[in-house]
Amino acid sequence: MTILLRKFTHGFLVGACTCRDTKEVKKKDLENEIANVTADLESMDYDDGSKGNTQAKQMHTGRKKFNTAPKKGIQFLIEQGLLQETPDDVAQFLLKGEGLNKTAIGDYLGERNDFNIEVLEAFVALHEFKDMILVQALRQFLWSFRLPGEAQKIDRMMECFAKRYCETNPGVFESTDTCYVLSFAIIMLNTSLHNPSVRDKPSLERFIQMNRGINEGRDLPEELLKSLYDSIKKEPFKIPEDDGNDLTHTFFNPDKEGWLMKQGGRYRNWKRRWFILTDNCLYYFEFTTDKEPRGIIPLENLQIREVEDKSKQHCFELYASDGREIIKACKTDADGKVVEGKHQTYRMQASTQEEKDDWIKVITASIAKDPFYEMLAARKKKASGNN
């Protein structure tokens, strides 16, 4: 179920929401120190005094450091002379990926500083997309790392992908904006067709209609869109597993945790749940000893308010701020299957007024508007020639 929950929340990222934002500095520092000590201890097994084994030890330590703190891992390998401090050398190391966590690769490539951006460009340039249809190129690209959980990072990475694809396949699209928009349309199609929680599966006709006019105001050939649709319908994307960030780390140092009463979405009954607030998500459990949550509520684009309830005191609720009727969230059903939530609001009750005020304060601080939809809409408008 852990993997399913990760895939589910990552699906929100691909469709515009994510639960994986920047972690607290205190938490990160502590986790990194633990990981560094562990790496140093494990690497001692390699040390027998020979130069070859010393280098193997240092490479092993560097990879372990990279998987928990990518920048520190790269810096360590450079200082040990195992990597040159050039974008090309670092990019080749990341693409080879031996012993590297693909989530960490994605986080490193998505960083905004100049050197990381140059590494990203070099990394994408190592991919050969010539004579590939767009969906094949996406399959290759998205298997080499795991998309990070921040809209601006995804935007930079997909911008580089679109530019590289158009360079290696001139004349296929009128602009990189067209390639960018269509790439996201394919990723969203993959989610819609293969996520069991999505009941309304898009047809070929709807996919074609959704992508009208994105080629500098003109339509793309229907045979091209049909080939993309058929490819995704027949074989979904293979997404690298998030093997380095399990839920144990997620709940390592929460912003707040405690018991709340939660109102059900369908039957409106109240149940006591243990809530944990961390990483811009609200998780709830049946018992404090449970290792996996009963539900996950991403807080992006939500708002919180105090409410008066006829039967309960000290209530507050979460609701969508962008006009959506159903809040994007997930839970496990009676059979243990991960399903999409059906809440229009999430109403909770605290035990005291003080507890209610504190929950509202910390949740408000965690809520952030996800710019993903706005960024994609702006790019689509540009690709359609409506400037």
Side-chain angles (χ1 to χ4, degrees), residues 306-307 313-316 350-361:
E306 297 184 59
V307 291
Q313 292 181 315
H314 316 309
C315 292
F316 61 92
S351 57
T352 65
Q353 178 69 34
E354 183 180 1
E355 269 294 288
K356 182 189 77 171
D357 292 342
D358 193 46
W359 274 107
I360 291 175
K361 179 181 177 180

Side-chain angles (χ1 to χ4, degrees), residues 21-238:
D21 292 327
T22 305
K23 303 188 186 303
E24 292 183 5
V25 173
K26 181 178 178 182
K27 169 185 173 183
K28 265 297 184 187
D29 288 345
L30 184 55
E31 288 181 348
N32 291 342
E33 287 301 318
I34 293 172
N36 289 339
V37 171
T38 302
D40 290 338
L41 288 173
E42 291 183 358
S43 65
M44 290 179 182
D45 294 337
Y46 287 85
D47 192 6
D48 65 358
S50 68
K51 181 178 179 181
N53 277 290
T54 299
Q55 289 184 337
K57 167 192 169 183
Q58 292 171 341
M59 179 60 74
H60 176 79
T61 300
R63 287 168 178 158
K64 295 286 290 185
K65 288 178 181 290
F66 177 86
N67 288 341
T68 54
K71 284 186 178 180
K72 290 184 178 180
I74 294 296
Q75 187 60 40
F76 174 85
L77 292 170
I78 290 172
E79 290 172 355
Q80 301 303 316
L82 298 174
L83 272 183
Q84 297 179 37
E85 195 171 4
T86 65
D88 287 341
D89 203 46
V90 175
Q92 290 180 26
F93 171 73
L94 297 180
L95 185 62
K96 186 178 180 181
E98 184 177 340
L100 301 183
N101 181 307
K102 291 191 177 183
T103 297
I105 295 174
D107 287 340
Y108 184 84
L109 292 173
E111 289 296 327
R112 192 174 183 176
N113 67 62
D114 291 343
F115 184 75
N116 289 69
I117 291 175
E118 290 176 3
V119 172
L120 170 62
E121 292 171 349
F123 179 86
V124 176
L126 292 173
H127 288 270
E128 182 52 64
F129 299 137
K130 185 174 176 59
D131 296 327
M132 285 187 181
I133 67 170
L134 185 60
V135 70
Q136 291 174 328
L138 277 170
R139 289 187 196 280
Q140 176 181 310
F141 184 59
L142 295 178
W143 182 248
S144 60
F145 65 97
R146 188 177 177 91
L147 278 172
E150 188 177 327
Q152 289 87 350
K153 290 184 178 183
I154 299 172
D155 177 67
R156 287 193 292 275
M157 298 168 92
M158 295 306 294
E159 172 69 29
C160 281
F161 167 80
K163 181 180 178 181
R164 174 63 175 167
Y165 184 84
C166 290
E167 286 176 351
T168 54
N169 295 278
V172 175
F173 302 114
E174 292 292 332
S175 70
T176 57
D177 290 318
T178 301
C179 182
Y180 175 101
V181 171
L182 186 57
S183 295
F184 273 115
I186 293 170
I187 294 172
M188 292 177 184
L189 175 68
N190 179 79
T191 300
S192 298
L193 288 179
H194 298 289
N195 188 328
S197 300
V198 179
R199 297 181 180 179
D200 184 20
K201 305 297 184 184
S203 63
L204 171 61
E205 290 71 24
R206 194 200 304 180
F207 180 68
I208 292 174
Q209 183 63 36
M210 287 170 54
N211 291 288
R212 295 244 182 242
I214 66 170
N215 198 27
E216 294 293 289
R218 293 186 291 275
D219 292 344
L220 291 165
E222 288 195 5
E223 58 269 22
L224 170 63
L225 295 177
K226 183 178 184 302
S227 68
L228 298 175
Y229 181 94
D230 290 342
S231 178
I232 289 295
K233 185 175 182 179
K234 181 179 179 181
E235 182 183 358
F237 284 135
K238 293 180 179 178

Side-chain angles (χ1 to χ4, degrees), residues 328-344:
K328 287 188 175 181
C330 66
K331 64 178 183 178
T332 54
D333 62 14
D335 298 322
K337 181 181 179 182
V338 180
V339 298
E340 187 173 0
K342 299 296 183 183
H343 285 260
Q344 293 180 324

Side-chain angles (χ1 to χ4, degrees), residues 301-318:
N301 298 311
L302 297 186
Q303 291 187 17
I304 188 170
R305 60 193 173 198
E306 297 184 59
V307 291
E308 296 290 334
D309 191 277
K310 294 180 180 179
S311 62
K312 301 286 183 181
Q313 292 181 315
H314 316 309
C315 292
F316 61 92
E317 67 181 14
L318 295 165

